[in-house]
Amino acid sequence: MFDEVLLHRVKPNDIIEIGNFKIEFIHASHSLVDCFSLAITTPIGTIIHTGDYKIDDTPIIGAPYDLKTLKKYGDAGVLALLSDSTNATVPGRTPSERDVVPAFEEIFEQTTGRLLVATFSSSIHRLQIVFDLAHAFDRKVCVIGRSMQRNVEVADELGLLDIPHDTQVSLGEARQLDDDQIVYLVTGSQGENRAALWQLATGAYKGMQIEKGDTIVLSARIIPGNDKAISRLIGHIYKRGGNIIEEKRRMVHVSGHASQEDIRIMTETARPKFVVPIHGEYRMLFRHKEFVKNHIEGYTDENVILIENGDVLELEENAARLIEHHQLERTFIDEESLGEIEYETIRERKKLAYGGAISLVVTIDKESREIVESPQITFQGVAGVDLTNGMVEEARQSIIESIKAMSKNDLNDRTSFKENLRILLKRFIQKETGTKPVIIPTIVEV
């Protein structure tokens, strides 16, 4: 990628020009570090794009949200505010990253065995808290998981992490320490089966596993869709005697997105003509609009605009309207080649996953077009197939009889021949098993 794309490093309050646009990078507080909102000055007015943000007055790393620069644009006049809606359903302010420290202090103080903290490897604020408290409570830190190791290394090199001297140790060194002298920073808070925590919980990690007396802190929210994986992970940890602490029990995680009162601060500071809720499910966009209309003076249905993916929003100095909609399709990327995959390929893969596959090989005489030997039928992952009850032989006989009944034209047309065989076997299997496997017919001429 670095050979193909020109990257520019920017700092807070840098201004760049692209055509008629001037863009200033406004420092934003978030669960990640070094984030920006954008102030985009155009010929008809300024647009503020918040990106992911919360108004954090006491971040662990870096400065609070740069409301001073935002107010400068608000005083000059903002045309539109495109604002994060992820937490628009949540009342109040989003807690600061620093608000998790008391709960972590209690955990470090009360834990007598090994301590494992699973969090997003990109959450540098949380990593700093673990390093600081480990140093304060005379524990060493061992980092496990490739992305966690890489992010700790990069953040340390960039000066974002301040790792106390002699606090970080290797896995080999960690194994030599008493249980109350070590804390592990691990990947896998979402139950990913290739991440470190899953392997530790299932005994798949080389030379180490969760043991009775271990305390595991899940310092991350459950991303929708990961519920089942996390539930299985927790089950494996309990089976091995581990104790789990997650955000429902103690404040070991805070969101990085603006809640309703953060949205109020953002909107009242920018004072835009139009508010455009972005980033979230439609219910979140809707609640964002309702909150702004009902709790911030000067906003109505006309100047809070709801848009969805594919909508084209046209802005003028005193107007905002949707002018068209583009149908957007998902883009699938192959994990191995990193190339784009056509949807038809995805559809075939889903069919294989749900129904399995049947390979049918029919051998016929090249001249006479008569069948030479009994058809070969191979089943892969097809439910309901009993190879001992005569069903397969019945399928073979059905195929043989069908071929005998075909006209010479059908037999000479390979495409038609293969399709007739596929449909015949498909109907037979559906009738016998109720399944819909992928059927791959092959014709061999001898």
Side-chain angles (χ1 to χ4, degrees):
M1 176 180 175
F2 291 106
D3 296 331
E4 301 173 2
V5 179
L6 179 61
L7 300 178
H8 299 272
R9 179 175 292 179
V10 295
K11 303 186 298 296
N13 302 116
D14 278 358
I15 298 175
I16 64 170
E17 294 189 25
I18 303 175
N20 291 330
F21 295 173
K22 287 186 178 180
I23 303 170
E24 180 169 1
F25 295 85
I26 302 174
H27 174 76
S29 48
H30 180 50
S31 54
L32 309 184
V33 296
D34 275 1
C35 295
F36 294 112
S37 298
L38 301 179
I40 307 166
T41 301
T42 78
I44 63 165
T46 298
I47 298 168
I48 303 292
H49 190 300
T50 67
D52 291 353
Y53 83 98
K54 65 179 178 181
I55 307 298
D56 191 341
D57 299 323
T58 58
I60 297 295
I61 298 170
Y65 193 101
D66 186 2
L67 292 173
K68 182 179 178 181
T69 298
L70 182 66
K71 184 177 184 302
K72 176 190 73 174
Y73 283 99
D75 292 342
V78 170
L79 174 61
L81 171 67
L82 280 64
S83 185
D84 182 6
S85 306
T86 308
N87 272 357
T89 61
V90 181
R93 289 279 299 275
T94 300
S96 167
E97 292 296 319
R98 197 171 294 276
D99 288 344
V100 304
V101 172
F104 269 97
E105 285 179 331
E106 287 183 2
I107 292 166
F108 270 85
E109 186 175 3
Q110 296 168 1
T111 301
T112 56
R114 294 190 305 183
L115 184 58
L116 294 88
V117 178
T119 188
F120 298 117
S121 61
S122 57
S123 184
I124 308 301
H125 297 281
R126 206 70 43 82
L127 306 188
Q128 185 65 64
I129 290 170
V130 172
F131 276 108
D132 288 344
L133 291 178
H135 182 68
F137 285 88
D138 294 323
R139 286 181 183 252
K140 303 296 184 182
V141 178
C142 177
V143 181
I144 301 179
R146 281 180 294 180
S147 65
M148 186 72 76
Q149 291 169 339
R150 183 171 61 251
N151 281 8
V152 167
E153 182 180 343
V154 171
D156 185 35
E157 289 176 358
L158 294 176
L160 296 171
L161 268 181
D162 181 14
I163 301 177
H165 181 64
D166 284 343
T167 299
Q168 188 174 352
V169 296
S170 67
L171 182 58
E173 293 170 322
R175 287 173 177 152
Q176 306 304 313
L177 299 172
D178 293 336
D179 288 352
D180 62 355
Q181 294 179 315
I182 187 67
V183 54
Y184 294 93
L185 263 175
V186 301
T187 56
S189 62
Q190 299 303 301
E192 306 97 315
N193 59 16
R194 288 193 287 184
L197 185 56
W198 178 272
Q199 294 181 9
L200 291 166
T202 58
Y205 197 86
K206 189 174 181 180
M208 182 178 168
Q209 61 185 24
I210 300 295
E211 297 174 355
K212 186 175 182 179
D214 289 344
T215 297
I216 297 88
V217 181
L218 298 180
S219 181
R221 75 182 184 94
I222 297 176
I223 295 176
N226 293 341
D227 314 57
K228 290 182 179 179
I230 294 173
S231 179
R232 289 195 295 270
L233 170 69
I234 290 173
H236 284 299
I237 292 172
Y238 280 141
K239 284 180 182 178
R240 293 185 175 275
N243 174 45
I244 298 173
I245 299 173
E246 27 105 25
E247 63 173 334
K248 292 179 181 177
R249 293 175 57 187
R250 298 196 196 177
M251 188 184 279
V252 292
H253 174 70
V254 292
S255 174
H257 297 277
S259 298
Q260 290 176 353
E261 291 306 315
D262 299 82
I263 290 172
R264 181 198 296 275
I265 293 170
M266 171 63 68
T267 308
E268 291 181 342
T269 305
R271 302 193 302 282
K273 290 181 182 178
F274 301 100
V275 173
V276 184
I278 60 170
H279 193 180
E281 300 171 15
Y282 194 85
R283 65 183 178 87
M284 301 168 182
L285 307 181
F286 182 84
R287 289 287 295 275
H288 190 153
K289 177 174 182 174
E290 291 300 297
F291 177 79
V292 171
K293 280 170 43 186
N294 297 326
H295 296 89
I296 303 177
E297 187 177 351
Y299 293 96
T300 64
D301 280 324
E302 285 67 38
N303 53 6
V304 185
I305 316 297
L306 288 184
I307 61 174
E308 297 185 82
N309 291 342
D311 287 340
V312 178
L313 176 65
E314 183 178 79
L315 293 169
E316 297 179 359
E317 288 186 20
N318 295 296
R321 55 183 170 271
L322 298 178
I323 59 171
E324 60 181 310
H325 178 82
H326 294 282
Q327 190 62 40
L328 303 181
E329 303 291 345
R330 291 179 177 177
T331 299
F332 296 91
I333 304 298
D334 184 75
E335 185 176 9
E336 299 298 329
S337 68
L338 300 181
E340 186 174 338
I341 309 173
E342 296 293 332
Y343 180 72
E344 185 61 28
T345 303
I346 298 297
R347 198 164 68 88
E348 289 298 322
R349 288 184 179 183
K350 289 176 72 174
K351 281 184 180 180
L352 288 168
Y354 289 117
I358 300 176
S359 173
L360 169 63
V361 179
V362 173
T363 304
I364 62 171
D365 185 276
K366 190 173 185 179
E367 299 298 330
S368 68
R369 313 306 288 173
E370 293 180 354
I371 192 161
V372 173
E373 60 183 46
S374 181
Q376 298 176 23
I377 305 176
T378 306
F379 298 87
Q380 293 181 307
V382 181
V385 174
D386 185 349
L387 301 178
T388 66
N389 67 356
M391 186 190 80
V392 178
E393 185 57 34
E394 188 179 342
R396 288 195 184 101
Q397 290 303 317
S398 178
I399 292 165
I400 291 170
E401 291 171 9
S402 177
I403 293 172
K404 289 179 179 179
M406 289 183 189
S407 67
K408 270 237 168 153
N409 287 337
D410 286 337
L411 292 171
N412 288 328
D413 185 339
R414 290 181 66 89
T415 302
S416 176
F417 190 11
K418 288 175 68 175
E419 182 62 12
N420 287 336
L421 291 175
R422 188 190 70 81
I423 292 172
L424 173 72
L425 189 54
K426 171 188 173 185
R427 289 172 178 169
F428 181 89
I429 294 298
Q430 281 184 329
K431 179 182 176 182
E432 295 294 326
T433 68
T435 60
K436 297 180 180 180
V438 175
I439 298 173
I440 307 169
T442 302
I443 299 170
V444 179
E445 296 180 350
V446 294

